Amino acid sequence: MAEIIQRDGTWTFDGDALRLVPGRDKNVGVLRKSLGELTIPLGALAGISFEHGKKSGRLRLRLRDGADPLLHATGGRLADASDPYQLTVDSDRYGVAEYFVDEIRNALLLDEVPATAVDRYLLPGPAVPLSVSAGDGTASFDGERVRLEWNWKTEEAKSAAGARTLALADIQGVEWQPSVGLENGHLRFTVRGAPTKAPPKYDPNSVELWGFKKDPLMALVAAAVQARLPHPSAPPPEDTPAKRLAPTGVDHDALLRRLRELGDLRKAGVLTEEEFTQAKQAILRDM
């Protein structure tokens, strides 16, 4: 086992996974503290590096593209203080940091872990339920629904309809943009059947984040929702005869004809027993 303990946090590697625990130092960002302990499976790592400095150095983890919903949702826009995959190392611990790097690199080589992208999330994302207030509203997520509530600073055109509740099944995408300088950021949800080009200030599916106040915690909401959406690199569902015959309407005569067709296809060997059962159940639900 390899371990490095610093004021910035503690990293421990047991050969199979890397455990990251944020420190209690005042320089540790609020997002890292809110995330808490993270466990990174070896298979999610693409590499690790150590950068020397005069007074302190920095360990950096590199995860495989698509492995972490937090990194996907934030798109490399997290500030250093908020990045959970960095660790500040005091100069008197450089030897320990270099040993730590060697241990992980050796494990990656021995396990032949590729550095290529993945088509499914290997980390679970932030825990739910969670609720964050920032900018002109509050975003809450319980794993199934997003709720957006407005405060007194919200534009009337946006708040007039009251709080918004978005079912996860209706959300097609989530976008987090941090505020930079005096330029505002936002947390925006793309909702099926409700496209909009309105700026976040007026978009009822967005929370605007003020430029003069840094509020990185909205990134946690973005990541928690992203973790439960289909992975952007996931292969499309397999096209099978059962799926092509799945019913799209509620015409009972048509559904009965489909049932007979399914029976004929099963007898002819076109459909497997499993495909026949799945399609039959879908038809019966519609009936």
Side-chain angles (χ1 to χ4, degrees), residues 8-11 18-23 28-40 45 58-63 68-71 74 76-88 123 126 216 219-220 223:
D8 197 35
T10 299
W11 287 10
L18 183 59
R19 188 165 63 97
L20 315 180
V21 180
V28 177
V30 63
L31 187 145
R32 285 180 59 199
K33 291 178 179 178
S34 299
L35 268 176
E37 180 180 321
L38 296 176
T39 299
I40 317 299
L45 292 178
R58 190 175 296 272
L59 279 169
R60 293 182 188 269
L61 286 179
R62 184 165 58 90
L63 272 62
D68 181 21
L70 174 65
L71 293 182
T74 55
R77 296 184 293 268
L78 283 176
D80 285 352
S82 297
D83 189 342
Y85 305 119
Q86 298 187 30
L87 183 72
T88 302
L123 279 78
L220 298 182

mmCIF file of all heavy atoms in Angstrom, residues 8-11 18-23 28-40 45 58-63 68-71 74 76-88 123 126 216 219-220 223:
data_model
loop_
_atom_site.group_PDB
_atom_site.id
_atom_site.type_symbol
_atom_site.label_atom_id
_atom_site.label_comp_id
_atom_site.label_asym_id
_atom_site.label_seq_id
_atom_site.Cartn_x
_atom_site.Cartn_y
_atom_site.Cartn_z
ATOM 1 N N ASP A 8 -3.385 19.310 2.434
ATOM 2 C CA ASP A 8 -4.349 19.426 1.350
ATOM 3 C C ASP A 8 -5.247 18.195 1.239
ATOM 4 O O ASP A 8 -6.324 18.259 0.639
ATOM 5 C CB ASP A 8 -3.588 19.632 0.030
ATOM 6 C CG ASP A 8 -4.479 20.162 -1.068
ATOM 7 O OD1 ASP A 8 -5.389 20.954 -0.776
ATOM 8 O OD2 ASP A 8 -4.267 19.789 -2.239
ATOM 9 N N GLY A 9 -4.807 17.079 1.789
ATOM 10 C CA GLY A 9 -5.594 15.854 1.731
ATOM 11 C C GLY A 9 -4.718 14.621 1.858
ATOM 12 O O GLY A 9 -3.488 14.718 1.998
ATOM 13 N N THR A 10 -5.350 13.469 1.820
ATOM 14 C CA THR A 10 -4.649 12.186 1.929
ATOM 15 C C THR A 10 -5.041 11.302 0.757
ATOM 16 O O THR A 10 -6.231 11.123 0.478
ATOM 17 C CB THR A 10 -5.001 11.473 3.246
ATOM 18 O OG1 THR A 10 -4.593 12.286 4.345
ATOM 19 C CG2 THR A 10 -4.308 10.119 3.339
ATOM 20 N N TRP A 11 -4.029 10.776 0.067
ATOM 21 C CA TRP A 11 -4.260 9.831 -1.018
ATOM 22 C C TRP A 11 -3.686 8.481 -0.619
ATOM 23 O O TRP A 11 -2.527 8.382 -0.192
ATOM 24 C CB TRP A 11 -3.608 10.305 -2.315
ATOM 25 C CG TRP A 11 -4.312 11.473 -2.966
ATOM 26 C CD1 TRP A 11 -5.306 12.239 -2.434
ATOM 27 C CD2 TRP A 11 -4.060 11.974 -4.280
ATOM 28 N NE1 TRP A 11 -5.695 13.197 -3.330
ATOM 29 C CE2 TRP A 11 -4.953 13.070 -4.477
ATOM 30 C CE3 TRP A 11 -3.180 11.632 -5.301
ATOM 31 C CZ2 TRP A 11 -4.975 13.806 -5.650
ATOM 32 C CZ3 TRP A 11 -3.195 12.359 -6.482
ATOM 33 C CH2 TRP A 11 -4.089 13.436 -6.660
ATOM 34 N N LEU A 18 -7.775 3.855 -5.704
ATOM 35 C CA LEU A 18 -7.138 5.015 -5.092
ATOM 36 C C LEU A 18 -8.196 5.748 -4.275
ATOM 37 O O LEU A 18 -9.264 6.088 -4.792
ATOM 38 C CB LEU A 18 -6.583 5.921 -6.193
ATOM 39 C CG LEU A 18 -5.806 7.169 -5.792
ATOM 40 C CD1 LEU A 18 -4.591 6.815 -4.953
ATOM 41 C CD2 LEU A 18 -5.372 7.920 -7.039
ATOM 42 N N ARG A 19 -7.905 5.983 -3.006
ATOM 43 C CA ARG A 19 -8.853 6.668 -2.121
ATOM 44 C C ARG A 19 -8.365 8.086 -1.877
ATOM 45 O O ARG A 19 -7.232 8.288 -1.425
ATOM 46 C CB ARG A 19 -9.001 5.920 -0.798
ATOM 47 C CG ARG A 19 -10.110 6.459 0.095
ATOM 48 C CD ARG A 19 -10.445 5.459 1.190
ATOM 49 N NE ARG A 19 -9.303 5.233 2.068
ATOM 50 C CZ ARG A 19 -9.129 5.852 3.238
ATOM 51 N NH1 ARG A 19 -10.005 6.739 3.660
ATOM 52 N NH2 ARG A 19 -8.077 5.584 3.978
ATOM 53 N N LEU A 20 -9.219 9.072 -2.181
ATOM 54 C CA LEU A 20 -8.874 10.479 -2.024
ATOM 55 C C LEU A 20 -9.719 11.085 -0.907
ATOM 56 O O LEU A 20 -10.955 11.069 -0.982
ATOM 57 C CB LEU A 20 -9.135 11.248 -3.329
ATOM 58 C CG LEU A 20 -8.663 10.618 -4.646
ATOM 59 C CD1 LEU A 20 -9.007 11.537 -5.816
ATOM 60 C CD2 LEU A 20 -7.184 10.319 -4.602
ATOM 61 N N VAL A 21 -9.055 11.620 0.093
ATOM 62 C CA VAL A 21 -9.755 12.260 1.211
ATOM 63 C C VAL A 21 -9.301 13.709 1.288
ATOM 64 O O VAL A 21 -8.107 13.977 1.467
ATOM 65 C CB VAL A 21 -9.449 11.545 2.550
ATOM 66 C CG1 VAL A 21 -10.192 12.226 3.698
ATOM 67 C CG2 VAL A 21 -9.828 10.064 2.463
ATOM 68 N N PRO A 22 -10.201 14.675 1.132
ATOM 69 C CA PRO A 22 -9.787 16.083 1.183
ATOM 70 C C PRO A 22 -9.321 16.474 2.573
ATOM 71 O O PRO A 22 -9.819 15.967 3.584
ATOM 72 C CB PRO A 22 -11.062 16.842 0.784
ATOM 73 C CG PRO A 22 -12.181 15.914 1.160
ATOM 74 C CD PRO A 22 -11.661 14.535 0.920
ATOM 75 N N GLY A 23 -8.360 17.381 2.644
ATOM 76 C CA GLY A 23 -7.867 17.850 3.931
ATOM 77 C C GLY A 23 -8.768 18.928 4.514
ATOM 78 O O GLY A 23 -9.771 19.333 3.917
ATOM 79 N N VAL A 28 -8.351 24.302 0.939
ATOM 80 C CA VAL A 28 -9.105 23.254 0.267
ATOM 81 C C VAL A 28 -10.455 23.827 -0.157
ATOM 82 O O VAL A 28 -11.199 24.362 0.661
ATOM 83 C CB VAL A 28 -9.302 22.036 1.185
ATOM 84 C CG1 VAL A 28 -10.147 20.978 0.485
ATOM 85 C CG2 VAL A 28 -7.953 21.452 1.580
ATOM 86 N N GLY A 29 -10.787 23.725 -1.427
ATOM 87 C CA GLY A 29 -12.013 24.312 -1.944
ATOM 88 C C GLY A 29 -13.274 23.673 -1.400
ATOM 89 O O GLY A 29 -13.289 22.502 -1.021
ATOM 90 N N VAL A 30 -14.362 24.459 -1.393
ATOM 91 C CA VAL A 30 -15.629 23.991 -0.833
ATOM 92 C C VAL A 30 -16.192 22.825 -1.648
ATOM 93 O O VAL A 30 -16.853 21.943 -1.093
ATOM 94 C CB VAL A 30 -16.642 25.153 -0.763
ATOM 95 C CG1 VAL A 30 -16.972 25.686 -2.156
ATOM 96 C CG2 VAL A 30 -17.915 24.732 -0.050
ATOM 97 N N LEU A 31 -15.925 22.788 -2.942
ATOM 98 C CA LEU A 31 -16.441 21.681 -3.748
ATOM 99 C C LEU A 31 -15.769 20.371 -3.342
ATOM 100 O O LEU A 31 -16.441 19.339 -3.220
ATOM 101 C CB LEU A 31 -16.216 21.964 -5.232
ATOM 102 C CG LEU A 31 -16.864 20.969 -6.203
ATOM 103 C CD1 LEU A 31 -17.353 21.676 -7.461
ATOM 104 C CD2 LEU A 31 -15.901 19.852 -6.597
ATOM 105 N N ARG A 32 -14.464 20.400 -3.134
ATOM 106 C CA ARG A 32 -13.767 19.186 -2.699
ATOM 107 C C ARG A 32 -14.263 18.726 -1.334
ATOM 108 O O ARG A 32 -14.466 17.527 -1.107
ATOM 109 C CB ARG A 32 -12.255 19.442 -2.625
ATOM 110 C CG ARG A 32 -11.567 19.492 -3.980
ATOM 111 C CD ARG A 32 -10.079 19.757 -3.823
ATOM 112 N NE ARG A 32 -9.426 18.721 -3.022
ATOM 113 C CZ ARG A 32 -8.251 18.865 -2.420
ATOM 114 N NH1 ARG A 32 -7.589 20.009 -2.536
ATOM 115 N NH2 ARG A 32 -7.725 17.885 -1.731
ATOM 116 N N LYS A 33 -14.492 19.674 -0.431
ATOM 117 C CA LYS A 33 -14.992 19.319 0.894
ATOM 118 C C LYS A 33 -16.388 18.716 0.803
ATOM 119 O O LYS A 33 -16.724 17.767 1.519
ATOM 120 C CB LYS A 33 -14.999 20.546 1.796
ATOM 121 C CG LYS A 33 -13.609 21.045 2.172
ATOM 122 C CD LYS A 33 -13.685 22.290 3.037
ATOM 123 C CE LYS A 33 -12.298 22.777 3.433
ATOM 124 N NZ LYS A 33 -12.356 24.029 4.239
ATOM 125 N N SER A 34 -17.222 19.270 -0.073
ATOM 126 C CA SER A 34 -18.589 18.764 -0.216
ATOM 127 C C SER A 34 -18.620 17.381 -0.860
ATOM 128 O O SER A 34 -19.449 16.544 -0.510
ATOM 129 C CB SER A 34 -19.429 19.742 -1.051
ATOM 130 O OG SER A 34 -19.509 21.006 -0.418
ATOM 131 N N LEU A 35 -17.721 17.134 -1.798
ATOM 132 C CA LEU A 35 -17.632 15.819 -2.421
ATOM 133 C C LEU A 35 -17.241 14.755 -1.408
ATOM 134 O O LEU A 35 -17.721 13.626 -1.444
ATOM 135 C CB LEU A 35 -16.608 15.838 -3.548
ATOM 136 C CG LEU A 35 -17.077 16.143 -4.965
ATOM 137 C CD1 LEU A 35 -15.885 16.195 -5.898
ATOM 138 C CD2 LEU A 35 -18.091 15.131 -5.448
ATOM 139 N N GLY A 36 -16.352 15.128 -0.491
ATOM 140 C CA GLY A 36 -15.900 14.175 0.510
ATOM 141 C C GLY A 36 -14.957 13.135 -0.069
ATOM 142 O O GLY A 36 -14.282 13.360 -1.081
ATOM 143 N N GLU A 37 -14.921 11.979 0.540
ATOM 144 C CA GLU A 37 -14.009 10.917 0.120
ATOM 145 C C GLU A 37 -14.423 10.338 -1.225
ATOM 146 O O GLU A 37 -15.599 10.083 -1.477
ATOM 147 C CB GLU A 37 -13.997 9.817 1.180
ATOM 148 C CG GLU A 37 -13.086 8.645 0.859
ATOM 149 C CD GLU A 37 -13.112 7.588 1.950
ATOM 150 O OE1 GLU A 37 -13.151 7.961 3.140
ATOM 151 O OE2 GLU A 37 -13.103 6.390 1.607
ATOM 152 N N LEU A 38 -13.442 10.120 -2.093
ATOM 153 C CA LEU A 38 -13.679 9.521 -3.402
ATOM 154 C C LEU A 38 -12.855 8.249 -3.540
ATOM 155 O O LEU A 38 -11.713 8.187 -3.080
ATOM 156 C CB LEU A 38 -13.283 10.480 -4.525
ATOM 157 C CG LEU A 38 -14.063 11.798 -4.658
ATOM 158 C CD1 LEU A 38 -13.457 12.641 -5.773
ATOM 159 C CD2 LEU A 38 -15.525 11.536 -4.918
ATOM 160 N N THR A 39 -13.431 7.253 -4.165
ATOM 161 C CA THR A 39 -12.707 6.020 -4.460
ATOM 162 C C THR A 39 -12.636 5.858 -5.969
ATOM 163 O O THR A 39 -13.670 5.776 -6.644
ATOM 164 C CB THR A 39 -13.399 4.797 -3.830
ATOM 165 O OG1 THR A 39 -13.435 4.967 -2.401
ATOM 166 C CG2 THR A 39 -12.644 3.524 -4.169
ATOM 167 N N ILE A 40 -11.416 5.819 -6.503
ATOM 168 C CA ILE A 40 -11.196 5.736 -7.940
ATOM 169 C C ILE A 40 -10.671 4.343 -8.282
ATOM 170 O O ILE A 40 -9.559 3.988 -7.893
ATOM 171 C CB ILE A 40 -10.170 6.782 -8.423
ATOM 172 C CG1 ILE A 40 -10.410 8.143 -7.759
ATOM 173 C CG2 ILE A 40 -10.177 6.871 -9.933
ATOM 174 C CD1 ILE A 40 -11.737 8.754 -8.052
ATOM 175 N N LEU A 45 -8.290 5.019 -14.248
ATOM 176 C CA LEU A 45 -7.145 5.915 -14.343
ATOM 177 C C LEU A 45 -6.446 5.798 -15.698
ATOM 178 O O LEU A 45 -6.275 4.708 -16.237
ATOM 179 C CB LEU A 45 -6.126 5.595 -13.248
ATOM 180 C CG LEU A 45 -6.547 5.899 -11.809
ATOM 181 C CD1 LEU A 45 -5.441 5.469 -10.850
ATOM 182 C CD2 LEU A 45 -6.848 7.369 -11.634
ATOM 183 N N ARG A 58 2.868 19.344 -6.961
ATOM 184 C CA ARG A 58 1.466 19.008 -7.187
ATOM 185 C C ARG A 58 1.345 17.644 -7.861
ATOM 186 O O ARG A 58 1.944 17.390 -8.902
ATOM 187 C CB ARG A 58 0.799 20.068 -8.059
ATOM 188 C CG ARG A 58 -0.721 19.929 -8.156
ATOM 189 C CD ARG A 58 -1.304 21.102 -8.933
ATOM 190 N NE ARG A 58 -1.077 22.356 -8.249
ATOM 191 C CZ ARG A 58 -1.901 22.869 -7.333
ATOM 192 N NH1 ARG A 58 -2.989 22.204 -6.987
ATOM 193 N NH2 ARG A 58 -1.636 24.018 -6.765
ATOM 194 N N LEU A 59 0.576 16.765 -7.222
ATOM 195 C CA LEU A 59 0.200 15.496 -7.818
ATOM 196 C C LEU A 59 -1.055 15.718 -8.650
ATOM 197 O O LEU A 59 -1.988 16.399 -8.210
ATOM 198 C CB LEU A 59 -0.085 14.442 -6.743
ATOM 199 C CG LEU A 59 1.111 13.723 -6.114
ATOM 200 C CD1 LEU A 59 0.655 12.936 -4.894
ATOM 201 C CD2 LEU A 59 1.779 12.790 -7.127
ATOM 202 N N ARG A 60 -1.094 15.136 -9.836
ATOM 203 C CA ARG A 60 -2.276 15.250 -10.705
ATOM 204 C C ARG A 60 -2.657 13.869 -11.228
ATOM 205 O O ARG A 60 -1.826 13.167 -11.789
ATOM 206 C CB ARG A 60 -2.002 16.169 -11.901
ATOM 207 C CG ARG A 60 -1.776 17.632 -11.556
ATOM 208 C CD ARG A 60 -1.570 18.437 -12.830
ATOM 209 N NE ARG A 60 -1.164 19.805 -12.568
ATOM 210 C CZ ARG A 60 -2.008 20.825 -12.434
ATOM 211 N NH1 ARG A 60 -3.314 20.607 -12.540
ATOM 212 N NH2 ARG A 60 -1.559 22.049 -12.197
ATOM 213 N N LEU A 61 -3.912 13.532 -11.051
ATOM 214 C CA LEU A 61 -4.446 12.316 -11.642
ATOM 215 C C LEU A 61 -5.061 12.640 -12.992
ATOM 216 O O LEU A 61 -5.641 13.709 -13.180
ATOM 217 C CB LEU A 61 -5.540 11.714 -10.756
ATOM 218 C CG LEU A 61 -5.129 11.015 -9.467
ATOM 219 C CD1 LEU A 61 -6.368 10.527 -8.741
ATOM 220 C CD2 LEU A 61 -4.193 9.858 -9.749
ATOM 221 N N ARG A 62 -4.950 11.711 -13.916
ATOM 222 C CA ARG A 62 -5.628 11.838 -15.195
ATOM 223 C C ARG A 62 -6.542 10.636 -15.346
ATOM 224 O O ARG A 62 -6.093 9.493 -15.348
ATOM 225 C CB ARG A 62 -4.613 11.906 -16.341
ATOM 226 C CG ARG A 62 -5.250 12.140 -17.707
ATOM 227 C CD ARG A 62 -4.198 12.564 -18.732
ATOM 228 N NE ARG A 62 -3.143 11.568 -18.870
ATOM 229 C CZ ARG A 62 -3.186 10.558 -19.743
ATOM 230 N NH1 ARG A 62 -4.241 10.401 -20.526
ATOM 231 N NH2 ARG A 62 -2.173 9.710 -19.819
ATOM 232 N N LEU A 63 -7.840 10.905 -15.461
ATOM 233 C CA LEU A 63 -8.812 9.835 -15.609
ATOM 234 C C LEU A 63 -9.097 9.579 -17.080
ATOM 235 O O LEU A 63 -8.915 10.455 -17.924
ATOM 236 C CB LEU A 63 -10.119 10.181 -14.885
ATOM 237 C CG LEU A 63 -10.204 9.788 -13.405
ATOM 238 C CD1 LEU A 63 -9.136 10.505 -12.584
ATOM 239 C CD2 LEU A 63 -11.586 10.083 -12.842
ATOM 240 N N ASP A 68 -15.732 9.703 -15.568
ATOM 241 C CA ASP A 68 -16.249 10.432 -14.415
ATOM 242 C C ASP A 68 -17.308 11.450 -14.848
ATOM 243 O O ASP A 68 -17.011 12.352 -15.629
ATOM 244 C CB ASP A 68 -15.093 11.153 -13.707
ATOM 245 C CG ASP A 68 -15.546 11.922 -12.482
ATOM 246 O OD1 ASP A 68 -16.615 11.609 -11.955
ATOM 247 O OD2 ASP A 68 -14.820 12.844 -12.063
ATOM 248 N N PRO A 69 -18.537 11.347 -14.341
ATOM 249 C CA PRO A 69 -19.575 12.317 -14.713
ATOM 250 C C PRO A 69 -19.256 13.735 -14.265
ATOM 251 O O PRO A 69 -19.699 14.700 -14.902
ATOM 252 C CB PRO A 69 -20.836 11.780 -14.030
ATOM 253 C CG PRO A 69 -20.345 10.873 -12.944
ATOM 254 C CD PRO A 69 -19.064 10.302 -13.445
ATOM 255 N N LEU A 70 -18.483 13.903 -13.184
ATOM 256 C CA LEU A 70 -18.114 15.244 -12.739
ATOM 257 C C LEU A 70 -17.231 15.919 -13.775
ATOM 258 O O LEU A 70 -17.459 17.079 -14.146
ATOM 259 C CB LEU A 70 -17.395 15.180 -11.389
ATOM 260 C CG LEU A 70 -16.826 16.523 -10.887
ATOM 261 C CD1 LEU A 70 -17.949 17.510 -10.599
ATOM 262 C CD2 LEU A 70 -15.969 16.311 -9.634
ATOM 263 N N LEU A 71 -16.219 15.208 -14.263
ATOM 264 C CA LEU A 71 -15.333 15.782 -15.272
ATOM 265 C C LEU A 71 -16.077 16.027 -16.582
ATOM 266 O O LEU A 71 -15.825 17.008 -17.282
ATOM 267 C CB LEU A 71 -14.129 14.865 -15.508
ATOM 268 C CG LEU A 71 -13.147 14.733 -14.339
ATOM 269 C CD1 LEU A 71 -11.980 13.836 -14.727
ATOM 270 C CD2 LEU A 71 -12.646 16.089 -13.884
ATOM 271 N N THR A 74 -18.277 19.204 -16.074
ATOM 272 C CA THR A 74 -17.544 20.461 -15.896
ATOM 273 C C THR A 74 -16.616 20.774 -17.066
ATOM 274 O O THR A 74 -16.160 21.916 -17.202
ATOM 275 C CB THR A 74 -16.724 20.429 -14.595
ATOM 276 O OG1 THR A 74 -15.858 19.273 -14.599
ATOM 277 C CG2 THR A 74 -17.637 20.344 -13.382
ATOM 278 N N GLY A 76 -13.486 20.337 -17.856
ATOM 279 C CA GLY A 76 -12.164 20.908 -17.622
ATOM 280 C C GLY A 76 -12.186 22.344 -17.122
ATOM 281 O O GLY A 76 -11.154 23.017 -17.140
ATOM 282 N N ARG A 77 -13.343 22.819 -16.663
ATOM 283 C CA ARG A 77 -13.466 24.214 -16.228
ATOM 284 C C ARG A 77 -13.387 24.384 -14.714
ATOM 285 O O ARG A 77 -13.638 25.478 -14.213
ATOM 286 C CB ARG A 77 -14.774 24.803 -16.767
ATOM 287 C CG ARG A 77 -14.840 24.883 -18.285
ATOM 288 C CD ARG A 77 -16.114 25.551 -18.759
ATOM 289 N NE ARG A 77 -17.284 24.747 -18.468
ATOM 290 C CZ ARG A 77 -17.816 23.852 -19.300
ATOM 291 N NH1 ARG A 77 -17.249 23.644 -20.482
ATOM 292 N NH2 ARG A 77 -18.886 23.170 -18.975
ATOM 293 N N LEU A 78 -13.059 23.338 -13.977
ATOM 294 C CA LEU A 78 -12.923 23.463 -12.525
ATOM 295 C C LEU A 78 -11.632 24.205 -12.178
ATOM 296 O O LEU A 78 -10.576 23.941 -12.752
ATOM 297 C CB LEU A 78 -12.890 22.082 -11.862
ATOM 298 C CG LEU A 78 -14.217 21.339 -11.703
ATOM 299 C CD1 LEU A 78 -13.960 19.962 -11.123
ATOM 300 C CD2 LEU A 78 -15.188 22.115 -10.824
ATOM 301 N N ALA A 79 -11.721 25.115 -11.214
ATOM 302 C CA ALA A 79 -10.525 25.795 -10.715
ATOM 303 C C ALA A 79 -9.667 24.801 -9.938
ATOM 304 O O ALA A 79 -10.170 23.781 -9.446
ATOM 305 C CB ALA A 79 -10.925 26.962 -9.829
ATOM 306 N N ASP A 80 -8.378 25.081 -9.808
ATOM 307 C CA ASP A 80 -7.466 24.165 -9.111
ATOM 308 C C ASP A 80 -7.956 23.838 -7.704
ATOM 309 O O ASP A 80 -7.872 22.690 -7.263
ATOM 310 C CB ASP A 80 -6.063 24.770 -9.046
ATOM 311 C CG ASP A 80 -5.345 24.706 -10.388
ATOM 312 O OD1 ASP A 80 -5.865 24.058 -11.316
ATOM 313 O OD2 ASP A 80 -4.267 25.313 -10.500
ATOM 314 N N ALA A 81 -8.470 24.847 -6.990
ATOM 315 C CA ALA A 81 -8.901 24.619 -5.609
ATOM 316 C C ALA A 81 -10.102 23.677 -5.539
ATOM 317 O O ALA A 81 -10.354 23.055 -4.501
ATOM 318 C CB ALA A 81 -9.246 25.950 -4.941
ATOM 319 N N SER A 82 -10.859 23.562 -6.641
ATOM 320 C CA SER A 82 -12.052 22.713 -6.662
ATOM 321 C C SER A 82 -11.788 21.342 -7.280
ATOM 322 O O SER A 82 -12.649 20.465 -7.207
ATOM 323 C CB SER A 82 -13.172 23.411 -7.449
ATOM 324 O OG SER A 82 -13.562 24.616 -6.831
ATOM 325 N N ASP A 83 -10.640 21.162 -7.888
ATOM 326 C CA ASP A 83 -10.339 19.920 -8.599
ATOM 327 C C ASP A 83 -9.965 18.815 -7.603
ATOM 328 O O ASP A 83 -8.918 18.898 -6.951
ATOM 329 C CB ASP A 83 -9.183 20.164 -9.580
ATOM 330 C CG ASP A 83 -8.946 18.988 -10.510
ATOM 331 O OD1 ASP A 83 -9.423 17.883 -10.204
ATOM 332 O OD2 ASP A 83 -8.277 19.182 -11.543
ATOM 333 N N PRO A 84 -10.784 17.769 -7.479
ATOM 334 C CA PRO A 84 -10.477 16.714 -6.512
ATOM 335 C C PRO A 84 -9.319 15.826 -6.930
ATOM 336 O O PRO A 84 -8.830 15.023 -6.132
ATOM 337 C CB PRO A 84 -11.781 15.912 -6.445
ATOM 338 C CG PRO A 84 -12.392 16.104 -7.790
ATOM 339 C CD PRO A 84 -12.036 17.507 -8.203
ATOM 340 N N TYR A 85 -8.855 15.961 -8.181
ATOM 341 C CA TYR A 85 -7.808 15.088 -8.693
ATOM 342 C C TYR A 85 -6.440 15.754 -8.695
ATOM 343 O O TYR A 85 -5.552 15.373 -9.451
ATOM 344 C CB TYR A 85 -8.193 14.595 -10.084
ATOM 345 C CG TYR A 85 -9.551 13.918 -10.072
ATOM 346 C CD1 TYR A 85 -10.607 14.405 -10.835
ATOM 347 C CD2 TYR A 85 -9.784 12.821 -9.254
ATOM 348 C CE1 TYR A 85 -11.860 13.800 -10.791
ATOM 349 C CE2 TYR A 85 -11.029 12.212 -9.204
ATOM 350 C CZ TYR A 85 -12.059 12.716 -9.979
ATOM 351 O OH TYR A 85 -13.299 12.110 -9.916
ATOM 352 N N GLN A 86 -6.288 16.766 -7.833
ATOM 353 C CA GLN A 86 -4.995 17.399 -7.600
ATOM 354 C C GLN A 86 -4.695 17.376 -6.096
ATOM 355 O O GLN A 86 -5.607 17.425 -5.278
ATOM 356 C CB GLN A 86 -5.001 18.852 -8.074
ATOM 357 C CG GLN A 86 -5.238 19.052 -9.553
ATOM 358 C CD GLN A 86 -5.051 20.506 -9.960
ATOM 359 O OE1 GLN A 86 -4.266 21.239 -9.358
ATOM 360 N NE2 GLN A 86 -5.775 20.925 -10.980
ATOM 361 N N LEU A 87 -3.421 17.298 -5.772
ATOM 362 C CA LEU A 87 -3.005 17.330 -4.369
ATOM 363 C C LEU A 87 -1.723 18.142 -4.250
ATOM 364 O O LEU A 87 -0.725 17.840 -4.912
ATOM 365 C CB LEU A 87 -2.759 15.909 -3.840
ATOM 366 C CG LEU A 87 -2.387 15.821 -2.355
ATOM 367 C CD1 LEU A 87 -3.614 16.119 -1.485
ATOM 368 C CD2 LEU A 87 -1.821 14.444 -2.011
ATOM 369 N N THR A 88 -1.750 19.164 -3.405
ATOM 370 C CA THR A 88 -0.561 19.973 -3.151
ATOM 371 C C THR A 88 0.364 19.225 -2.191
ATOM 372 O O THR A 88 -0.077 18.717 -1.153
ATOM 373 C CB THR A 88 -0.955 21.335 -2.544
ATOM 374 O OG1 THR A 88 -1.832 22.012 -3.441
ATOM 375 C CG2 THR A 88 0.279 22.196 -2.294
ATOM 376 N N LEU A 123 -17.313 5.944 -12.285
ATOM 377 C CA LEU A 123 -17.516 6.548 -10.973
ATOM 378 C C LEU A 123 -18.987 6.910 -10.853
ATOM 379 O O LEU A 123 -19.642 7.250 -11.853
ATOM 380 C CB LEU A 123 -16.647 7.794 -10.798
ATOM 381 C CG LEU A 123 -15.187 7.568 -10.419
ATOM 382 C CD1 LEU A 123 -14.374 7.136 -11.622
ATOM 383 C CD2 LEU A 123 -14.573 8.830 -9.829
ATOM 384 N N PRO A 126 -21.697 12.512 -7.648
ATOM 385 C CA PRO A 126 -22.048 12.976 -6.301
ATOM 386 C C PRO A 126 -23.289 12.263 -5.763
ATOM 387 O O PRO A 126 -24.192 11.893 -6.519
ATOM 388 C CB PRO A 126 -22.313 14.470 -6.507
ATOM 389 C CG PRO A 126 -21.564 14.827 -7.753
ATOM 390 C CD PRO A 126 -21.639 13.619 -8.626
ATOM 391 N N PRO A 216 -19.072 27.208 -7.039
ATOM 392 C CA PRO A 216 -18.757 25.974 -7.766
ATOM 393 C C PRO A 216 -19.680 24.804 -7.445
ATOM 394 O O PRO A 216 -19.682 23.812 -8.169
ATOM 395 C CB PRO A 216 -17.324 25.669 -7.313
ATOM 396 C CG PRO A 216 -17.242 26.253 -5.930
ATOM 397 C CD PRO A 216 -18.064 27.509 -6.003
ATOM 398 N N ALA A 219 -21.879 22.716 -9.789
ATOM 399 C CA ALA A 219 -21.269 21.653 -10.585
ATOM 400 C C ALA A 219 -21.639 20.276 -10.028
ATOM 401 O O ALA A 219 -21.700 19.291 -10.787
ATOM 402 C CB ALA A 219 -19.750 21.818 -10.612
ATOM 403 N N LEU A 220 -21.898 20.178 -8.738
ATOM 404 C CA LEU A 220 -22.283 18.899 -8.141
ATOM 405 C C LEU A 220 -23.655 18.467 -8.642
ATOM 406 O O LEU A 220 -23.886 17.280 -8.911
ATOM 407 C CB LEU A 220 -22.291 19.005 -6.607
ATOM 408 C CG LEU A 220 -20.960 19.320 -5.936
ATOM 409 C CD1 LEU A 220 -21.135 19.338 -4.426
ATOM 410 C CD2 LEU A 220 -19.899 18.311 -6.333
ATOM 411 N N ALA A 223 -23.215 17.245 -12.184
ATOM 412 C CA ALA A 223 -22.576 15.928 -12.244
ATOM 413 C C ALA A 223 -23.525 14.820 -11.790
ATOM 414 O O ALA A 223 -23.524 13.722 -12.362
ATOM 415 C CB ALA A 223 -21.317 15.927 -11.383
#
